[in-house]
């Protein structure tokens, strides 16, 4: 393993009825609260009422709302949040939503304490040193943002989607009540499952043979996700399957899988480029891109793809070459995601090859991207072309 | 799953050379430091020098030493530490050692802020509300105390060994440098491995079928421990195997395996009773007791023992009854621990059946102990008799 530091101080409140507990958690940090949420689905499913009821039980609480955070949260919305906090002298952010709302909250939290343009922080040109404390109530299992310090923000003025990570932006607490996710529609549920599995893949593909526990932990998340996912898609309100997917999503990106290894993240960079140019769902983009990325790297290094197939997809290894096993693994992954209803081609979203160059350009945040097989711009173009 | 709260704010500094970093970590909490350690092995292997050099680089640091913490740390030593902190107005405890030294540090840390006898806290008659901050430098992989809030203390005046858990006693940081553990002798290394596997077992045996991720995580720790352990015992200085065992020991008891389930812990209670009466090594006691506990519960509920055998010990399940699979699992566990050199009978430590009643009495901290199969005093006596 590489030398590493691990810390994750986020407190998880898991299970039915945990939303009410926010009234005990928030006052430790502040009482002037920015309540941040998305398009208003929380008003339909009753969560908004649950949350505001709990907030009303905090003596002396003052709540300012900001709604309308977009699925790919925008820099313009982050700036609105920063302004609101400054104008109203707020000291806590409660993010009620999925990864987008939580990511937006993190960018607001660090932007308040930064003199310049918060985009500097998102693009890692400035390092945050302080943040407004955040709590979250999670409404969709996918990004893992509820238990990490990462945030992805889109700048439409520049067609750019970037991310930053900070130890200052761990949520102080996150409420994970699987019941809240029961009303998430099928397509969003599928995208979440793809996102969760993709997070494991990003941290599974590396060259170290010296991190067996982290590898097995990743396989554990994949195995249990793949057991629960088809049953959940058949019965979207099933509490126990929602529960498994919710915990898995949180643990897929809370840091334990990348202890002491170099994670890859190339596919996420490519997907961010695609959805910065076309506003497609992140999970949909990943479902299309990941098998094609895997095919590309398996041509050079099939060994880890083969191991994934043997350990997670139950492929028989006897007397077979790694390249053969890798090909079967990728076929099985495509079959699995298709069986859930995930898209498999960018053309499903009306994207054709006319913008491959622009998307590849956007993906190249460095000379090469990814670590398992570092990709040049030409490699990225090739993966994108195979994904059309 | 049951509703649960999870938090673990301990910071892990993992890898070679991390001891030097304590000089950056400690000043966040204090500069008047109680340096706590055990029998002096850290003076032989150079760790004491490494630590004191790092401490000497903290401007304004004042260090008071307390050495001689016992392998089963004693209430008398805890009280000495409390006195030293009060007399010298210290504000930080650096525990350099294994689980015993760290556990002792935790009891001192809460005892300083408690007016009565700290034994009240250890026996859960009083709840700690505050603690002196602790940092640790781990010297042996076993108890997991470096990343949790638990502490086990022995009261020889009352032949009693008890434990408490608190959110106030998480170490602020723990240095995990596998190289430090390279000089741990074979028997201690084996006891540590048995302890690590036992911690997984305690959290693996429960009735819930709704915590598949936690179950797979436990199996991951067992699998990778069982892969590395025999190689490590053959080559005690091998860095990579030490590394795997060290990370596994920490994750076996940092809380992730018991999220949302009822852990068992009966075997630990029985072992604590045995080693409160006879001062035997904790890992040695567990190696003897666990297979006998498993045999006892398998007679009533073989299913989980069978699952352990199939998933971790590679036992073929086809056309076989759970009871048969469970018996093979227990045989394989005994074989594995014996192959490492662990003891298998209490009589190996000169314990005969004359004190079964006293030990069973001590183990019964409640009407029944354990959750997978709640044990009466008679059950405990039977397990002890089979262990002689």
């Amino acid at each position: 393993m590489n030398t590493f530091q691990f810390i994750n101080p986020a407190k998880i409140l898991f299970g039915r009825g945990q939303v009410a507990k926010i009234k005990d958690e928030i006052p430790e940090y502040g009482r002037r609260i920015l309540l941040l949420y998305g398009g208003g689905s929380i008003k339909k499913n009753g969560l908004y009422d649950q949350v505001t009821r709990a907030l009303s039980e905090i003596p002396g609480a003052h709540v300012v709302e900001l709604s309308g955070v977009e699925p790919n949260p925008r820099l313009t919305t982050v700036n609105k949040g920063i302004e609101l906090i400054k104008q109203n002298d707020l000291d806590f952010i409660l993010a009620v939503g999925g990864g987008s709302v939580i990511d937006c909250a993190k960018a607001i939290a660090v932007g308040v304490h930064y003199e310049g343009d918060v985009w500097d922080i998102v693009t890692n040109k400035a390092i945050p040193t302080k943040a407004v404390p955040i709590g979250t109530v999670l409404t969709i299992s996918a990004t893992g943002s509820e238990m990490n310090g990462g945030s992805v923000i889109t700048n439409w003025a520049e067609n750019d989607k970037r991310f930053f990570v900070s130890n200052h932006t761990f949520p102080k607490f996150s409420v994970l009540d699987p019941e809240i996710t029961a009303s998430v529609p099928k397509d969003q549920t599928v995208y979440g499952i793809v996102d969760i599995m993709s997070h494991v893949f990003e941290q599974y593909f590396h060259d170290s043979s010296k991190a067996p526990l982290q590898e097995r932990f990743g396989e554990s998340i994949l195995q249990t996700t793949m057991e629960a996912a088809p049953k959940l898609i058949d019965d979207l309100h099933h509490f126990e399957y929602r529960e498994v997917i919710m915990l898995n999503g949180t643990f897929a990106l809370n840091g334990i899988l990348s202890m002491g290894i170099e994670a890859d993240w190339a596919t996420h960079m490519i997907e961010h480029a695609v959805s910065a140019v076309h506003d497609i769902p992140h999970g949909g983009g990943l479902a299309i891109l990941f098998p094609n990325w895997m095919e590309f790297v398996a041509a050079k290094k099939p060994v880890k793809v083969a191991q994934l197939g043997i350990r997670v997809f139950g492929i028989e290894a006897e007397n077979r070459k790694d390249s053969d096993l890798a090909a079967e693994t990728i076929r099985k992954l495509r079959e699995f995601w298709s069986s859930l209803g995930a898209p498999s081609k960018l053309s499903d979203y009306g994207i054709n090859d006319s913008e491959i160059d622009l998307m590849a350009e956007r993906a190249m945040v460095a000379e090469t991207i990814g670590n398992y097989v570092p990709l040049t711009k030409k490699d990225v173009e090739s993966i994108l072309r195979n994904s059309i």
Side-chain angles (χ1 to χ4, degrees), chain A residues 296-356:
Chain A
F296 187 89
V297 300
K300 299 176 187 223
K301 282 194 200 166
V303 51
K304 207 73 183 266
V305 188
Q307 178 183 306
L308 174 72
I310 296 164
R311 293 201 189 164
V312 174
F313 288 83
I315 295 175
E316 279 295 335
E318 227 169 314
N319 298 323
R320 293 173 66 184
K321 284 187 302 186
D322 276 351
S323 56
D324 184 27
L325 294 166
E328 189 178 342
T329 306
I330 296 164
R331 205 183 63 238
K332 288 210 167 201
L333 173 62
R334 285 199 167 107
E335 275 171 20
F336 180 74
W337 279 348
S338 291
S339 76
L340 300 181
S344 61
K345 291 172 181 315
L346 289 174
S347 50
D348 294 348
Y349 288 114
I351 299 172
N352 59 38
D353 60 6
S354 67
E355 278 160 330
I356 284 181

Side-chain angles (χ1 to χ4, degrees), chain A residues 60-286:
Chain A
H62 175 72
V63 180
V64 174
E65 294 193 16
L66 176 58
S67 65
V69 178
E70 308 79 11
N72 286 314
R74 300 177 183 198
L75 182 60
T76 48
T77 311
V78 172
N79 281 320
K80 255 191 235 168
I82 294 171
E83 272 317 295
L84 271 179
I85 289 190
K86 287 182 174 172
Q87 280 165 11
N88 296 281
D89 199 18
L90 307 180
D91 51 19
F92 190 81
I93 306 174
L94 182 65
V96 181
S100 303
V101 176
I102 300 172
D103 285 8
C104 184
K106 291 174 182 172
I108 293 170
V110 293
V112 168
H113 293 289
Y114 180 65
E115 302 251 312
D117 184 345
V118 67
W119 187 244
D120 295 347
I121 291 176
V122 179
T123 52
N124 301 292
K125 279 176 205 136
I127 307 294
T129 54
K130 208 178 159 189
V132 177
I134 298 167
T136 90
V137 177
L138 188 64
T139 59
I140 178 165
S141 301
T143 71
S145 190
E146 65 276 11
M147 202 183 182
N148 65 44
S151 165
V152 184
I153 300 296
T154 301
N155 181 342
W156 278 106
E158 300 187 14
N159 267 154
D160 212 357
K161 187 173 180 178
R162 301 287 284 276
F163 75 95
F164 75 97
V165 182
S166 166
N167 275 354
H168 296 283
T169 43
F170 280 104
K172 299 297 180 188
F173 65 82
S174 283
V175 172
L176 276 61
D177 177 350
E179 213 155 52
I180 292 173
T181 64
S183 59
V184 174
K186 186 184 154 185
D187 59 345
Q188 295 294 331
T189 303
V190 172
Y191 297 150
I193 290 163
V194 170
D195 201 19
I196 292 166
M197 292 178 66
S198 298
H199 290 161
V200 178
F201 293 151
E202 297 285 18
Q203 300 167 89
Y204 189 78
F205 288 96
H206 56 75
D207 279 328
S208 177
S209 60
K210 298 170 190 167
L213 183 64
Q214 297 88 313
E215 214 163 83
R216 292 268 182 204
F217 277 176
E219 291 159 3
S220 298
I221 295 174
L222 292 172
Q223 283 170 305
T224 54
T225 299
M226 291 178 68
E227 279 158 20
K231 298 183 213 160
L232 176 58
I233 296 307
D234 272 353
D235 183 0
L236 288 168
H237 286 265
H238 199 293
F239 183 79
E240 283 167 28
Y241 306 139
R242 286 283 180 194
E243 197 174 51
V244 169
I245 297 297
M246 194 159 215
L247 189 64
N248 284 12
T250 300
F251 271 75
L253 201 51
N254 71 357
I256 66 172
L257 302 188
S258 55
M259 294 183 296
I261 61 101
E262 298 258 5
D264 193 81
W265 294 112
T267 311
H268 266 71
M269 290 177 208
I270 303 174
E271 198 292 318
H272 288 173
V274 172
S275 61
V277 175
H278 298 273
D279 196 4
I280 70 168
H282 177 57
L286 290 171

